[in-house]
Amino acid sequence: MFTSYDPANDPDQLRLRQTGTFRYDLLLKGGIVLDPANGVYRSSDIAFIGDRVAALGDEISSEMALQTLNIAGGIVTPGWVDFHVHAFPGVSPLSVPVDEYSLPRGVTTAVSAGDAGASTFEGFVQYVIKPARTRLYGFLNICRTGLAGYPAGELRDLLLLDVAEAARAAREHEAYCLGIKVRMTRFIVGDNGMEPLHRAIAAAELAHVPVMVHVYDIPGTLDELLACLRPGDIVTHVFMGTQNGILDGTARLLPVVLEARSRGVLFDVGHGSKAGFSIPVARAALEQGFLPDTISTDAHTQSVNTTMTDLATVMSKFLNLGMTIEDVVERVTARPAALIGKKPMLGTLSINAPADAVVMRLVENDHGALFDDAGNQMSAQHRIVVQHTISRGRLVGAPYRYPHV
């Protein structure tokens, strides 16, 4: 298990402090800090001590740090929050190993979207969340077994959709459980129609948490589904390319979608694979001013090997669809962090915030293309590339070196 680093207990650092030559563990020098939560987008050095942000400012001396990384031209953002991943390997066949996949790609906090249910969430906490270096939370699947039976539809047997047990497990693991997940797809629910959604909402109301609803080839109509949702509930795969989507036959946003947003329903990208994300749908929605609340990958064993790839690629798609870099970064930092609501100052670079950060670069006029799984494409005029990830004050994939003392 990764534990917070306490410089006060490190004898080498104590000696450096006593000689007056050291104040910070890690200094990122010469970059541009982009912190949407604080309205910051300017040139600045940034320093960390232990697992906290310690200082921002012009010309912080490298002599004050144990380790200095010169990142001239790089953009420093808070560590990215991927609000929809699958991260219970060995139990859920869809899952990827979260530290191996996420950390080198800029994701320092991730949210498992329904991998574990009431019967398996305890194992998810003990064997995945607690040992992970990635900060990890989860939505609890309304099905007791979660996605352990994938690809079988987990919502076909109503005996496994136990409202009381789901609510109990969500309350018991409230430190890590963000809400209830339900996958509303025809082949997953079988003949049960909207009943799995009704049970998910009932469990969420008992546990006082939101519901995350996967919409993809849904049973019934989108009107019927959205009418069930409450303020704070989340629709994921919002830009899906199947029937019953957010657009009408003329590519206009459906009034029920706008009405749902006006009463507080949230909309997550959840890119995924197959028809989980459509470039034409996303373009039409953004042109009408309908931006996602959160940008996420739906990283799983299929999507990571298709056009989704990783969070930087998904962010690049929205940058090329016309969103500003500030809006894109906000939707992978401050906004999902606020929805998590478990860690003060997560998703920011405020002083004393968690020492999670990404050093990225914007590659302009890439001359490449970005795709969805239906073969639609757009030119990649702007591409986000991750250079370094800092997780809890440590560079990911790089040794932490002390100077000679």
Side-chain angles (χ1 to χ4, degrees):
M1 183 188 303
F2 184 88
T3 57
S4 296
Y5 173 66
D6 183 1
N9 294 327
D10 189 310
D12 290 326
Q13 294 198 25
L14 180 59
R15 284 196 296 275
L16 286 168
R17 281 195 182 85
Q18 290 171 340
T19 62
T21 59
F22 162 74
R23 183 176 298 172
Y24 308 118
D25 293 311
L26 174 64
L27 172 63
L28 304 181
K29 192 164 183 59
I32 300 167
V33 171
L34 171 53
D35 181 6
N38 290 311
V40 174
Y41 192 13
R42 63 177 178 84
S43 298
S44 178
D45 298 339
I46 180 168
F48 307 93
I49 186 165
D51 60 0
R52 295 288 162 180
V53 176
L56 290 94
D58 299 331
E59 298 300 327
I60 299 175
S61 173
S62 58
E63 294 182 357
M64 300 174 71
L66 273 174
Q67 185 178 20
T68 298
L69 191 65
N70 292 308
I71 56 165
I75 300 173
V76 184
T77 76
W80 296 345
V81 180
D82 194 341
F83 202 65
H84 183 157
V85 305
H86 292 281
F88 199 178
V91 174
S92 166
L94 271 177
S95 291
V96 296
V98 66
D99 285 348
E100 177 183 333
Y101 173 76
S102 295
L103 286 175
R105 295 169 173 85
V107 175
T108 56
T109 300
V111 177
S112 163
D115 294 304
S119 298
T120 56
F121 206 89
E122 171 69 24
F124 180 54
V125 170
Q126 296 300 330
Y127 303 119
V128 180
I129 290 179
K130 289 185 176 181
R133 184 174 180 182
T134 308
R135 188 174 284 103
L136 192 58
Y137 301 93
F139 279 84
L140 182 143
N141 200 310
I142 186 61
C143 174
R144 294 185 64 127
T145 56
L147 296 179
Y150 181 87
E154 73 272 11
L155 306 179
R156 288 173 171 260
D157 186 350
L158 293 177
L159 290 176
L160 294 176
L161 278 57
D162 189 315
V163 170
E165 273 298 289
R168 176 204 58 77
R171 290 193 301 265
E172 181 178 335
H173 300 290
E174 64 179 351
Y176 305 106
C177 181
L178 304 183
I180 307 296
K181 173 72 183 293
V182 59
R183 299 201 302 158
M184 294 303 293
T185 293
R186 292 177 190 275
F187 85 85
I188 295 172
V189 305
D191 297 328
N192 292 326
M194 290 288 175
E195 181 60 19
L197 176 60
H198 298 323
R199 294 195 182 194
I201 291 173
E205 289 183 342
L206 286 174
H208 306 292
V209 293
V211 166
M212 176 185 277
V213 186
H214 151 129
V215 293
Y216 179 97
D217 189 23
I218 64 176
T221 66
L222 188 63
D223 302 45
E224 183 183 0
L225 185 148
L226 291 177
C228 297
L229 302 185
R230 310 156 302 157
D233 288 340
I234 302 148
V235 172
T236 189
H237 307 307
V238 60
F239 301 124
M240 67 172 181
T242 65
Q243 61 180 333
N244 288 332
I246 64 172
L247 304 179
D248 66 17
T250 64
R252 302 298 299 174
L253 283 162
L254 292 170
V256 292
V257 175
L258 297 173
E259 188 278 330
R261 167 161 278 181
S262 71
R263 60 185 166 84
V265 175
L266 304 171
F267 294 88
D268 171 62
V269 171
H271 187 297
S273 58
K274 299 179 182 176
F277 174 80
S278 164
I279 288 175
V281 172
R283 178 180 286 116
L286 266 63
E287 286 175 351
Q288 296 169 65
F290 189 87
L291 278 60
D293 292 291
T294 50
I295 296 175
S296 66
T297 62
D298 183 24
H300 55 70
T301 50
Q302 297 166 23
S303 66
V304 298
N305 293 303
T306 59
T307 64
M308 186 282 290
T309 310
D310 56 22
L311 190 53
T313 302
V314 179
M315 293 165 67
S316 297
K317 293 179 183 182
F318 284 91
L319 198 59
N320 285 278
L321 284 167
M323 289 179 64
T324 66
I325 187 63
E326 295 95 331
D327 282 344
V328 168
V329 170
E330 182 181 23
R331 283 156 175 81
V332 298
T333 57
R335 289 205 180 191
L339 295 181
I340 290 170
K342 306 284 187 183
K343 188 78 173 176
M345 295 185 284
L346 183 67
T348 80
L349 292 174
S350 302
I351 302 301
N352 289 323
D356 297 341
V358 178
V359 180
M360 69 179 200
R361 288 188 181 270
L362 278 179
V363 178
E364 304 292 348
N365 300 314
D366 178 81
H367 303 299
L370 296 163
F371 298 85
D372 65 21
D373 284 355
N376 301 298
Q377 68 179 67
M378 65 179 119
S379 62
Q381 296 299 313
H382 321 280
R383 191 183 292 272
I384 294 169
V385 177
V386 174
Q387 288 194 301
H388 304 284
T389 307
I390 294 89
S391 172
R392 310 188 194 222
R394 300 289 186 94
L395 276 167
V396 172
Y400 191 84
R401 301 189 185 281
Y402 296 112
H404 176 73
V405 289

